[in-house]
Amino acid sequence: MLQAARTEGLNIYTYSELDSLKGFVGNFDAKIRRKARYVTKDCNGCGACEPVCPAISWNDFNEGLNPRSAIYTAFAQAVPSIAQIDMEKCIKCGLCQKACELNAIDFDQKDIIQNIRVGTIIVATGWDEYKPPIGYLGYNTYPNVITQMKLERILAPNGPTFGHIVRPSDGKRPKRILFIQCVGSRDLNKNTYCSSGVCCMISIKNTKLIKQHYPDSEITVAYVDIRAAGKDYEEYFTASRKEGIRYVRTNVSRIEENPENHNLIIKMQNTLRDSLGLQEKEFELIVLSCAMIPPIGIKKIQRLLKLETSRDGFFKEFHPRLNPIDTKIPGIILAGVSQSPKSIADSITSGRAAASSAARLMSKDKYRIALIRAKVNKDKCAKCGLCELNCPYNAINLLDDGADVNEILCRGCGTCLANCPSEAIILRYYKENQYEKQIDAILEKT
Amino acid sequence: MAGTIRAQYPPTIRPIRINCTGRVTPSLMIRAISKGADGIIIAG
C-alpha cells in the first residue's frame, strides 16, 4: 500500500466513497466523496493528539477488543498516515488542537466531492465476517465465545495483546480451546454456501500457531467437513493433526457457561464414532469460525454501478465458469471476494485477472461492439419510458425527442422492443419479420 | 444444456435462436400457436 501510494500516476483516495457514476466503458464519470477527516494534509501522523483525547470509542481495527480515542489513525500502516476524527464520539473539547504542533486539526472541514473520468472500474469490495445472532452458540452472551477475526487480532503481534493469547473474561491464557466451524455457512437457515474453505484453513493455521506458542494447549476443532482444497492445504491439515490437534466431526448445538469460572460446557457427539455417545466437554475458550458475507455497503455499490448480485449476495459475474472476472457491464470488472468468498491466493489470482481484463480494454484506442443493437424509430416513439424501465443494462435514456439508445451499453437483448407498445424499437439482425419468417417456415405444411 | 449433456430431443421440437428471453413478444407466440404449433418453450 505504501509503495502504491508513492507510485506516480496512481491516485489513492482512502476514506472516500463513490457518490454517483455515469457513462460507459472508456468514459465513466465518477463522483467520489472524500469524507472529511477533520485533520488536514499537514498531519504527519505523530500521534500526539491521541493520548490527550478524552472521548473513547472501540477500536474497529482490533474488532472492538480495545478502546481508542475519538481522534485516531485507522491502523499503524494506514495510507496516508493522517489521523481522523470520529465525529459521533468527538466532544469538540479542542484538546487535540492544542496538542497538535502542526495545527492540522480543522473542525470545519467538509466532505469534498471529486469528479474523475475513468475508462474501466475494478470492484474489490471485500467481505465482512458473519455476526451470529445474539445468544447463538453463546455469541455475545458468554464472554469467552469469540469469533475467528477476534482471535486473529488477539494472535497478531501488533494486536491489543501483542500476540499473547488471553481470554476476554479474566485475561488468563486459555488451555482448552474449541474451534467451531461453519458458523453461519453451509446452513439452510443462514448462508447456504461454503466460504471456499477459507474458515477451515484459518482455523488450521491458528490451531498450529497456538500449539507452537504453547505446546501444552489442548485444541479441538468441531467441524462438519474440513475443506482443505488447494495447493499444499491437505498436507497442512495433516501436519496439524500430527501436532496433536483433535478434529471431531460433530454439530455443536448448545453451549452453557459455568458461572463461576466462565468456562464453557458443551455437549457433542463424534458422528464418526457413534459408540462413544454424547460427551460433555469443558473448554476455556470457544472460537466461532464464521462465514464470509458480503459487506454492508455492497447494496449501495450495486445500485450505483447497476450490477446484479447472486443468491449469496456477492456480485454476479458474467458467467460463473466461462467468465468469472467481468460483469454484464463492459468496463466493470470484479476482483477478489466481491465475486465470491476467496482465499488470499485466489484473491491475488482474481485481482491480477481483473487487472489484465482492464488492461485489455484500456490498451486500445477503440472499443469494438457487435452491431446487434436496438434502434429507436423516434417518429413512432410515444415516450412512455417502458424501455428505459425494463432495460437490464441501463442503456436507454428518455430524451425530449424520444428514447435514446446508448449503443455501447446496449447488449442487444431486445427486452426493450418486446416491451414497446408502439413498436418503435427494432433490433438489428433480429427483426420481428425475421422471426415471423422462421416460425412460418418451421410450421409450413409439407 | 441439452447439448452439453448430450441429450437428444425429438425432431418435432424446433429451436429458434433469440438474443434474450426478454425479446420474445406475445405476437410471436400467438403467431406460432395460430400456425399450428402444439406448444412453446421459452428457455434461457
Side-chain angles (χ1 to χ4, degrees), chain A residues 116-346:
Chain A
I116 55 167
R117 275 177 80 82
V118 290
T120 45
I121 294 168
I122 294 177
V123 185
T125 41
W127 58 286
D128 270 348
E129 188 184 36
Y130 170 79
K131 294 277 174 275
I134 291 167
Y136 179 66
L137 294 172
Y139 178 74
N140 255 2
T141 316
Y142 305 139
N144 291 331
V145 177
I146 61 170
T147 59
Q148 189 74 260
M149 284 309 287
K150 277 191 179 167
L151 181 74
E152 278 287 317
R153 291 315 301 157
I154 290 171
L155 291 174
N158 63 349
T161 61
F162 306 103
H164 299 293
I165 178 158
V166 296
R167 62 181 202 162
S169 75
D170 49 13
K172 281 186 191 146
R173 175 171 84 85
K175 214 177 140 195
R176 291 189 302 276
I177 304 168
L178 174 72
F179 286 75
I180 300 177
Q181 297 303 114
C182 298
V183 177
S185 56
R186 301 184 67 200
D187 186 335
L188 293 179
N189 298 322
K190 293 178 182 80
N191 299 305
T192 46
Y193 58 87
C194 162
S195 303
S196 293
V198 175
C199 347
C200 285
M201 296 316 291
I202 295 178
S203 278
I204 296 171
K205 183 208 61 164
N206 283 342
T207 56
K208 278 178 73 113
L209 210 63
I210 297 168
K211 197 81 176 169
Q212 272 163 15
H213 281 302
Y214 305 104
D216 62 336
S217 299
E218 292 166 27
I219 303 169
T220 309
V221 180
Y223 70 96
V224 183
D225 288 298
I226 289 289
R227 296 201 160 169
K231 187 165 176 161
D232 293 339
Y233 285 4
E234 190 65 35
E235 289 84 344
Y236 197 69
F237 171 48
T238 314
S240 105
R241 291 175 75 175
K242 278 188 185 149
E243 281 174 32
I245 287 134
R246 281 186 67 225
Y247 286 85
V248 182
R249 205 185 107 171
T250 179
N251 240 329
V252 178
S253 53
R254 200 178 165 82
I255 297 178
E256 276 169 9
E257 191 185 46
N258 182 343
E260 281 170 25
N261 52 11
H262 291 291
N263 281 358
L264 301 145
I265 301 151
I266 72 155
K267 279 189 178 140
M268 61 182 192
Q269 184 162 13
N270 190 336
T271 51
L272 295 178
R273 294 172 77 189
D274 280 338
S275 57
L276 292 173
L278 205 61
Q279 291 173 300
E280 199 175 271
K281 301 257 181 192
E282 195 172 323
F283 292 96
E284 288 165 24
L285 181 74
I286 288 185
V287 181
L288 305 179
S289 213
C290 293
M292 295 168 96
I293 58 166
I296 305 167
I298 203 166
K299 286 263 152 59
K300 189 191 160 195
I301 301 290
Q302 182 206 354
R303 212 181 53 237
L304 291 173
L305 302 186
K306 289 152 192 143
L307 293 175
E308 285 175 49
T309 49
S310 337
R311 214 179 300 164
D312 57 6
F314 291 101
F315 284 123
K316 196 172 186 176
E317 60 293 298
F318 194 81
H319 189 285
R321 278 166 286 277
L322 301 175
N323 189 350
I325 296 149
D326 297 323
T327 61
K328 65 168 192 178
I329 300 174
I332 300 186
I333 303 147
L334 301 176
V337 186
S338 65
Q339 187 237 341
S340 72
K342 283 185 186 70
S343 64
I344 293 171
D346 288 347

Side-chain angles (χ1 to χ4, degrees), chain A residues 29 37 50 65 96 135 301 365 399 415 446:
Chain A
D29 282 306
R37 284 192 166 90
E50 288 179 33
L65 285 164
C96 49
I301 301 290
D365 295 334
L399 302 179
T415 308
T446 46

Side-chain angles (χ1 to χ4, degrees), chain A residues 372 412-413 418 430 432 438 440, chain B residues 17 19-20 22-23 25 27 31:
Chain A
I372 308 161
C413 70
Y430 287 90
E432 197 77 359
Q438 281 191 54
D440 293 352
Chain B
R17 187 186 172 243
N19 262 11
C20 170
R23 168 67 184 86
T25 52
S27 69
R31 189 181 188 95

Side-chain angles (χ1 to χ4, degrees), chain A residues 428-441:
Chain A
R428 283 197 211 112
Y429 308 104
Y430 287 90
K431 288 180 187 156
E432 197 77 359
N433 55 0
Q434 288 174 301
Y435 282 121
E436 284 167 2
K437 289 272 156 47
Q438 281 191 54
I439 293 169
D440 293 352

Side-chain angles (χ1 to χ4, degrees), chain B residues 29-44:
Chain B
M29 291 187 272
I30 292 162
R31 189 181 188 95
I33 297 281
S34 66
K35 294 265 172 175
D38 293 329
I40 300 160
I41 298 170
I42 300 172

